[in-house]
Amino acid sequence: CHLAWAQVLARLTGRQDVVFGTVLFGRMQGGTGADRVLGPFINTLPVRIGVGAEAVEASVRRTHGVLAELLWHEHASLALAQRCSVVAAPAPLFTSLLNYRYNRFVRARRSEGTPLALPGFEGIEVRRSEERNPYPFTVAVNDLEDGGFRLAVEAPEAAVAQRLCALVDTALERLVEALEVSPGRPVGSIDVLPEEERRQVVEAWNATDFAYPQHACVHELFEHQVKRSPDAVAVAFQDERVTYAALNGRANRLAHHLRALGVGPDARVAICMERSSEMVVALLATLKAGGAFVPLDPEYPQERLRYMLQDSAPVAVLTQGALRERLGPLQMPVLDLGADAPAWRDRPQSDPMRGALSPEHLAYVIYTSGSTGRPKGVMVPHRALVNFLDSMRREPGLQPSDTLLAVTTLSFDIAGLELFLPLTTGARVALAARETAADGTRLREALAATGATTMQATPATWRMLLEAGWAGTEGLRVLCGGEALPRELAERLLGCCAALWNVYGPTETTVWSTALRVEAGEGPVPIGRPIGNTTAYLLDAELRPVPLGVVGELYLGGAGVARGYLGRAELTAERFVPDAFGGKPGVRLYRTGDRVRRRADGALEFVGRNDAQVKVRGYRIEPGEVEARLQEHGGVREAVVVAREDKAGDKRLVAYWVGAEEVGVDDLRAHLLERLPEYMVPAAYVRLEEMPLTPNGKLDRRA
């Protein structure tokens, strides 16, 4: 029973070494005379049990030895145990208790050699913890006269106690089974999750299958809308209005030209352009030609742009005006969509034939921050993007009558929703210029001027809009994602819109993977449930589903999973792992690195990261990449970058560094701006004489 409870605690806490209290009879030591004295001798002491790679039989024997050894100290006070431990008072030594209640009659029968079976628990009692109980989680095992057992569990809530009962019952049953069938099996490999709960978290809450146009490519969905409403406005930018028919014709001419340059399935085309109707033409033309676009933000430093161009090896580059100079000398064709337009003016306006292109070919390659110091390109196929768009069309929803105000730079993958969702549903894209998207007052005016019915942005942008005096827009559908949505911000937004949606997802699973319509309430805002044809599993270190309410690493699967990282087979194999739950060969899951728990209603709740990765203003940043660039400076010996949020809603990067005194902050900032996007450049720099270390000599990031 003690080992079974240790298994349950190990699964609930994610630790292989657990400590809990156990109740001692107080009359077991021979020669003390305690067995002949009236009065309560019951005592409680901590017991420490490991649940890991040790064999089941050996683990049971060792646990028995631990308990037998504890009997020699059964009269020791808990205060003495505290002083002997490394845990300083008043911190408790343990917060859960197991009380095995011996039955003297049963023990007498055992001493006579009468065999007793272990049939499991004959009855289960569930009780809510009383306020006077110092241990919120208490398990009592009553040894019955007939050889059976009765289990009683107390917890702060009856529902929690009920689930603990099921876990302990399952743990003991499978432990006994392992002793009989496979005593050499590692005790830590025994799953304590009851079958009913396993079916709930693995199957029921992942039943997201629905039909979507899986045989279509993204641009074909757009072409369908062109036929449906050719004269409707597709793109609005400042004073310009472009209809579906006109946009399609412009994109087709460029697409035929790109094909002549050798663009085809899986060939990349880099796009370095400011937001404009020409940028949308470039995107559609690349897809229609059969290629995959690679967005290059014009604000990126030249060094980063050169690296991305070298790594992605595009067949051609599409740009405009003065941005051509930022790219430097290139070996591939560079097309200026303004100055070079006469070169494809006479190309056909008809839709190019699909040819060998399939939904499994790439739609885009987008670069994210890399922990090794270099960005990595995520390869997303048409299939994944089509599924995402079709799911978003259904919920949160978009209709042909809608206008979506697009505020996100193309290098941020969520721009895929802002541009392609309207164009594949017959709605209108209202493009906001970079200056508008970065200014709260201008953005507030743009919301009113465009008549937007939908807008997607990060929490930082929504907060900026509120601080600029935005009081709300009637009928507006708000999508918020990119980083955690604070409850305080959610409550403010709920009073300013018709519907608020919290959305979540990594680039590797195609923009958003979960969604939830937010309601007024308290506590953390959940990230929701999986979108269509998407699965979400919370797994422990052994890749087993964690119990309900327990924090696990989120693994995402389904139609949205990307192909992997461009030219990074080893990293792809590390992060994209076989799906052991889907039952289909070759299907993979993406390891997000996000720590998540599932609520009783099935909604997912983000808890944090299991590594150093952070989100600032919605951008995913690997501090290791910033640290690597800092240490390239000749005056810096060591560097550590952390994200701080000293003021609610104002998260920023801070660089701590060890090096030469004469190096100034302006020098370090200029050094980084030549190598990193501005959003990755720390806002503050703190020089240290040496880095703080933990007692075992490791870097102490918290300090």
Side-chain angles (χ1 to χ4, degrees):
C1 290
H2 286 77
L3 184 55
W5 181 232
Q7 286 180 288
V8 171
L9 291 178
R11 290 301 306 277
L12 295 177
T13 62
R15 300 175 180 176
Q16 290 189 339
D17 199 24
V18 297
V19 178
F20 56 92
T22 187
V23 178
L24 301 173
F25 190 51
R27 300 175 183 270
M28 301 297 288
Q29 290 187 35
T32 63
D35 58 335
R36 298 188 299 275
V37 180
L38 293 174
F41 282 79
I42 291 174
N43 191 20
T44 302
L45 286 177
V47 59
R48 182 175 184 174
I49 297 178
V51 180
E54 189 177 37
V56 170
E57 182 177 6
S59 187
V60 171
R61 293 183 182 279
R62 183 174 53 80
T63 301
H64 180 271
V66 169
L67 294 172
E69 177 68 21
L70 195 63
L71 291 177
W72 290 102
H73 308 282
E74 66 177 342
H75 293 151
S77 67
L78 190 54
L80 175 61
Q82 181 100 48
R83 290 198 298 273
C84 295
S85 75
V86 297
V87 180
L93 288 175
F94 49 85
T95 55
S96 69
L97 187 72
L98 187 144
N99 184 7
Y100 187 97
R101 294 169 178 163
Y102 297 94
N103 184 296
R104 297 178 67 88
F105 172 72
V106 173
R107 285 191 285 110
R109 289 178 62 194
R110 287 174 179 156
S111 65
E112 296 168 1
T114 304
L116 291 176
L118 189 62
F121 296 118
E122 292 186 0
I124 292 178
E125 298 177 21
V126 176
R127 294 196 294 267
R128 184 172 179 174
S129 301
E130 300 178 11
E131 292 185 5
R132 59 182 174 82
N133 187 351
Y135 309 112
F137 303 101
T138 302
V139 177
V141 180
N142 298 309
D143 197 343
L144 304 178
E145 292 186 4
D146 61 359
F149 299 86
R150 179 175 295 277
L151 175 67
V153 175
E154 292 184 7
E157 297 178 12
V160 175
Q162 184 70 49
R163 295 195 54 255
L164 285 176
C165 280
L167 290 170
V168 176
D169 193 6
T170 304
L172 187 59
E173 178 183 340
R174 292 177 181 170
L175 186 59
V176 172
E177 180 184 352
L179 271 174
E180 295 177 345
V181 178
S182 52
R185 176 183 178 182
V187 68
S189 69
I190 298 176
D191 195 356
V192 303
L193 200 65
E195 282 303 320
E196 182 179 354
E197 183 172 340
R198 180 184 175 87
R199 284 193 294 271
Q200 181 73 56
V201 300
V202 171
E203 299 174 13
W205 280 328
N206 283 311
T208 61
D209 291 356
F210 71 81
Y212 73 101
Q214 57 183 309
H215 301 298
C217 293
V218 177
H219 57 279
E220 292 173 329
L221 300 181
F222 165 71
E223 291 167 356
H224 171 74
Q225 296 301 327
V226 172
K227 296 175 182 177
R228 182 174 175 273
S229 53
D231 298 326
V233 174
V235 177
F237 179 67
Q238 297 175 345
D239 296 330
E240 183 184 16
R241 301 291 183 271
V242 184
T243 66
Y244 272 85
L247 182 63
N248 192 50
R250 289 165 61 180
N252 284 341
R253 285 193 291 268
L254 178 56
H256 285 290
H257 188 70
L258 290 174
R259 279 198 170 181
L261 295 176
V263 176
D266 281 355
R268 274 85 65 190
V269 175
I271 298 178
C272 184
M273 303 177 70
E274 291 288 359
R275 285 196 288 275
S276 62
S277 62
E278 287 182 334
M279 181 192 74
V280 180
V281 169
L283 293 171
L284 290 171
T286 300
L287 298 177
K288 284 170 170 283
F293 63 86
V294 182
L296 305 178
D297 195 314
E299 294 294 306
Y300 282 179
Q302 286 186 316
E303 180 178 313
R304 193 177 187 86
L305 291 174
R306 284 195 292 268
Y307 171 80
M308 292 165 67
L309 283 167
Q310 179 182 2
D311 189 66
S312 62
V315 173
V317 178
L318 305 181
T319 187
Q320 57 189 170
L323 296 179
R324 171 68 180 84
E325 301 303 318
R326 289 189 56 77
L327 302 176
L330 298 172
Q331 302 301 315
M332 70 286 295
V334 179
L335 306 181
D336 184 328
L337 264 67
D340 297 334
W344 55 86
R345 180 178 299 156
D346 296 330
R347 295 284 184 180
Q349 292 194 55
S350 58
D351 296 332
M353 299 294 291
R354 174 191 274 198
L357 182 67
S358 78
E360 297 305 318
H361 286 113
L362 296 180
Y364 62 86
V365 175
I366 195 163
Y367 280 80
T368 66
S369 180
S371 58
T372 59
R374 293 293 182 185
K376 51 187 182 291
V378 180
M379 301 183 290
V380 177
H382 281 267
R383 163 191 46 79
L385 186 54
V386 166
N387 178 73
F388 165 71
L389 295 172
D390 197 55
S391 184
M392 291 292 103
R393 176 184 62 80
R394 297 166 183 248
E395 194 176 68
L398 202 72
Q399 302 294 327
S401 57
D402 283 317
T403 296
L404 190 151
L405 180 58
V407 301
T408 308
T409 175
L410 186 59
S411 59
F412 194 173
D413 71 325
I414 71 175
L417 179 145
E418 297 179 353
L419 300 174
F420 294 116
L421 183 57
L423 294 178
T424 56
T425 56
R428 177 184 303 193
V429 181
L431 290 172
R434 185 186 296 269
E435 298 77 14
T436 299
D439 184 281
T441 301
R442 292 184 179 182
L443 189 55
R444 183 191 68 200
E445 295 170 349
L447 263 174
T450 59
T453 59
T454 301
M455 180 174 143
Q456 167 192 258
T458 64
T461 297
W462 287 115
R463 196 179 295 276
M464 176 187 72
L465 193 59
L466 288 166
E467 291 173 353
W470 178 61
T473 300
E474 185 178 358
L476 182 68
R477 183 188 297 109
V478 167
L479 277 64
C480 189
E483 56 187 333
L485 172 60
R487 170 59 67 178
E488 161 268 330
L489 178 59
E491 295 299 317
R492 294 177 66 187
L493 289 173
L494 283 170
C496 297
C497 62
L500 169 63
W501 287 80
N502 191 26
V503 285
Y504 158 89
T507 302
E508 288 84 348
T509 55
T510 314
V511 194
W512 306 132
S513 299
T514 69
L516 177 83
R517 181 165 181 172
V518 180
E519 304 291 346
E522 298 179 352
V525 179
I527 58 175
R529 300 178 181 83
I531 67 170
N533 299 303
T534 299
T535 55
Y537 304 107
L538 305 187
L539 308 180
D540 63 14
E542 303 295 329
L543 300 184
R544 298 171 303 191
V546 299
L548 190 65
V550 174
V551 175
E553 182 176 357
L554 176 60
Y555 287 68
L556 292 170
V561 176
R563 188 186 294 181
Y565 300 112
L566 180 64
R568 308 280 287 275
E570 185 174 337
L571 183 59
T572 297
E574 176 187 332
R575 304 304 299 182
F576 294 83
V577 299
D579 182 353
F581 307 100
K584 298 178 182 178
V587 177
R588 300 170 305 152
L589 299 174
Y590 172 67
R591 297 183 56 185
T592 67
D594 288 333
R595 298 173 64 243
V596 175
R597 69 165 58 91
R598 197 185 294 273
R599 303 195 319 178
D601 61 359
L604 301 170
E605 184 180 297
F606 178 81
V607 175
R609 291 285 303 174
N610 63 10
D611 57 19
Q613 186 188 105
V614 297
K615 287 283 190 77
V616 178
R617 301 196 306 277
Y619 290 100
R620 190 169 91 182
I621 300 172
E622 295 282 0
E625 183 176 357
V626 187
E627 293 164 1
R629 301 285 78 78
L630 260 176
Q631 291 177 105
E632 290 175 354
H633 189 287
V636 177
R637 293 200 309 273
E638 296 179 77
V640 175
V641 175
V642 299
R644 294 178 61 105
E645 191 170 357
D646 302 308
K647 177 184 175 184
D650 182 23
K651 187 181 291 185
R652 59 181 183 153
L653 292 180
V654 178
Y656 298 86
W657 62 284
V658 176
E661 290 186 25
E662 61 271 17
V663 177
V665 170
D666 292 341
D667 186 20
L668 294 177
R669 182 173 173 82
H671 170 81
L672 291 178
L673 283 171
E674 292 177 357
R675 295 161 174 79
L676 296 172
E678 187 173 10
Y679 70 83
M680 294 182 67
V681 176
Y685 301 79
V686 182
R687 183 179 176 275
L688 304 175
E689 291 299 325
E690 59 183 16
M691 289 294 177
L693 302 177
T694 63
N696 60 4
K698 295 183 178 181
L699 177 69
D700 190 343
R701 282 185 173 268
R702 181 171 297 181

